[in-house]
Amino acid sequence: MPLVSSTHLLQAARANGYGIGAFNVHTLEMLQAVIDAAEETNSPVILQSTVGTVKHLGADYIAAMATTAANRSRVPVALHLDHCTDFDIIVQCIRAGYSSVMIDASHETFEENVRQTLKVTEIALAAGVNVEAELGKVGGVEDEIVVAENEALMADPDDCAKFIELTRVPTLAPAIGTAHGIYKGEPQIDFDRIQRIAALVSVPLVLHGGSGIPEDKVKRAISLGMAKMNIATEIRIVFSDAIKAVFAQNPDENDPRKYMIPAKKAVKEAAIIKMIMLGSVGKANDAR
């Protein structure tokens, strides 16, 4: 089936109390591994690329790979541009075939965030493309965006409701205590804040910084309204570690298939664990 907008996928997830994994992929092998995991578990899935990956590979190449994967797949597949601050790149990705984009103006004032988000929703929603926006600041490093711990700000529930009303954005990523990258300690997620935001807005909420969050906290966040969880660092690490292991045993290896096969297997296994944790296993038909 063709690539689908993640709007309906995430609405179904929130309505039915499960989450959908959104996996940042940087190579064809990583993309194939995530799709293989979704096929094996019959899970809807979101493929993501960062702005850096778009600049590295090209939006048209990424969209072509994802479109081929979706056309060959039995499960719903969406393609999302993650954390983009550049309107021109968002337009480029929509034209290339992305089915979801994120405008991240969380570093701006509330009013400017609204203005930039409105600008994106006007063109994206007309094209049937999902839009994600962020309120508050999620700490850590996400590709080219760095937010220091002392600059991370929690999203205000009332602001979230006002923001949705003003922008009509279909999905919202509120800052609730998670961080990008691998956590140095136990993540301090503000579950009460999630509950208050979810009580005020009906749109699916997005949990950023999903790598390394304990299973019980993931499930609790989903039960409160989180419908999408972003996973990047964890699968990048298992992919790289599998390749390193091959060269540790055979430093002279020069056949990419010999190290990409175990790397793909590692990513697939990690993705399956996340899909089970999120409760998306067997939900592919619900999300069509």
Side-chain angles (χ1 to χ4, degrees):
M1 58 188 300
L3 284 171
V4 299
S5 170
S6 56
T7 302
H8 177 64
L9 300 187
L10 296 172
Q11 288 172 343
R14 176 162 182 184
N16 293 289
Y18 60 90
I20 296 177
F23 300 87
N24 281 42
V25 295
H26 304 278
T27 69
L28 172 61
E29 290 81 8
M30 294 179 81
L31 184 151
Q32 290 173 324
V34 170
I35 294 295
D36 287 347
E39 288 268 315
E40 186 166 314
T41 59
N42 197 32
S43 297
V45 69
I46 299 170
L47 302 169
Q48 291 191 159
S49 64
T50 64
V51 172
T53 303
V54 170
K55 292 177 179 178
H56 177 64
L57 294 178
D60 52 350
Y61 273 98
I62 297 168
M65 290 190 297
T67 298
T68 299
N71 286 338
R72 294 175 60 173
S73 178
R74 295 176 287 103
V75 302
V77 179
L79 176 61
H80 177 71
L81 172 66
D82 197 23
H83 280 288
C84 188
T85 60
D86 189 323
F87 181 77
D88 290 339
I89 291 177
I90 289 173
V91 172
Q92 176 188 345
C93 288
I94 291 172
R95 287 176 175 168
Y98 277 64
S99 60
S100 181
V101 293
M102 179 182 183
I103 169 63
D104 184 356
S106 59
H107 56 288
E108 304 286 356
T109 64
F110 179 86
E111 292 74 20
E112 179 62 14
N113 194 346
V114 167
R115 189 193 71 79
Q116 291 190 27
T117 301
L118 261 175
K119 186 178 178 182
V120 173
T121 56
E122 285 174 358
I123 63 164
L125 298 186
V129 172
N130 181 67
V131 181
E132 180 181 322
E134 183 170 313
L135 272 184
K137 296 181 182 179
V138 178
V141 180
E142 177 67 20
D143 204 47
E144 299 174 351
I145 300 174
V146 180
V147 177
E149 289 182 18
N150 62 345
E151 294 178 344
L153 299 173
M154 298 282 195
D156 178 84
D158 291 329
D159 281 350
C160 290
K162 184 179 179 182
F163 188 81
I164 296 297
E165 181 183 354
L166 292 171
T167 65
R168 298 182 301 116
V169 71
T171 46
L172 180 68
I176 44 79
T178 56
H180 297 121
I182 295 297
Y183 294 95
K184 299 173 184 177
E186 188 83 0
Q188 300 302 309
I189 299 175
D190 190 337
F191 293 104
D192 179 64
R193 188 175 299 270
I194 299 175
Q195 188 170 24
R196 286 186 287 135
I197 293 170
L200 293 172
V201 304
S202 59
V203 302
L205 303 177
V206 181
L207 188 66
H208 280 239
S211 292
I213 300 178
E215 183 173 356
D216 61 329
K217 293 194 173 188
V218 169
K219 290 183 174 179
R220 186 177 176 191
I222 290 169
S223 73
L224 295 174
M226 290 291 176
K228 172 179 181 260
M229 185 172 81
N230 291 7
I231 303 115
T233 307
E234 268 186 282
I235 62 168
R236 192 168 67 238
I237 288 174
V238 298
F239 183 82
S240 301
D241 284 350
I243 294 173
K244 292 173 187 175
V246 171
F247 282 106
Q249 292 183 352
N250 185 3
D252 297 324
E253 181 58 68
N254 60 17
D255 184 345
R257 292 167 295 183
K258 295 292 177 65
Y259 48 83
M260 285 300 182
I261 289 173
K264 282 177 64 175
K265 181 181 178 183
V267 171
K268 178 183 175 181
E269 290 173 350
I272 287 175
I273 289 171
K274 295 299 183 185
M275 290 169 185
I276 293 171
M277 182 186 300
L278 290 163
S280 65
V281 174
K283 302 296 186 181
N285 292 333
D286 293 351
R288 290 187 191 281

